[in-house]
Amino acid sequence: VCQLRYTWNHQMARCAKPTTILNTLFVNDEEHRKQCKQGFCEAGPAADGLVCGDGDGLTSYGKPPCVSMVYDWRDGKLADEKDFYGLVKSRVCGNEFEETSVLDKAAITAVCEGK
């Protein structure tokens, strides 16, 4: 049983992404791109090319808010350990849902506030 997430036009539904730090540490930006283009983007229905993308002033797919609501870490590749801190800082800090659901408060404060 899973919580469903629907595309913005309600044409498709999939299980919501697992609530785990593994979604941050196992990266696959192309999968985020694909799922966002299918309508599962947290940035909203008009995000592609306006908020999300590869051009100047756009946020890359895989970084909030250009992340998929249905991304599963098992579709990614474990990042190098040396990149863990930067991934958490850039993809969790400032994202209220991720900050409150993925890590314990002390851990997220240490990373996000540089303590």
Side-chain angles (χ1 to χ4, degrees):
V1 177
C2 70
Q3 185 177 24
L4 291 177
R5 292 288 185 254
Y6 295 89
T7 57
W8 294 104
N9 62 8
H10 296 281
Q11 296 295 315
M12 292 191 305
R14 290 190 46 192
C15 289
K17 65 183 175 183
T19 305
T20 172
I21 192 63
L22 296 175
N23 276 339
T24 300
L25 301 179
F26 281 77
V27 295
N28 186 340
D29 294 345
E30 188 54 39
E31 190 68 14
H32 282 284
R33 176 190 308 273
K34 181 178 113 188
Q35 292 170 354
C36 277
K37 288 181 180 277
Q38 291 174 339
F40 293 106
C41 200
E42 289 184 4
D48 190 44
L50 295 175
V51 176
C52 306
D54 299 321
D56 290 340
L58 299 177
T59 301
S60 300
Y61 287 99
K63 293 182 181 175
C66 303
V67 293
S68 169
M69 298 181 285
V70 297
Y71 178 73
D72 188 316
W73 64 270
R74 291 167 281 210
D75 293 326
K77 180 180 178 206
L78 182 62
D80 289 334
E81 186 177 353
K82 66 179 177 49
D83 297 327
F84 285 5
Y85 179 86
L87 285 168
V88 172
K89 186 121 177 114
S90 68
R91 298 179 183 214
V92 176
C93 299
N95 181 328
E96 186 176 330
F97 172 76
E98 299 291 350
E99 283 186 10
T100 57
S101 65
V102 174
L103 296 172
D104 67 63
K105 189 69 173 163
I108 199 62
T109 298
V111 172
C112 295
E113 295 180 9
K115 296 180 178 179

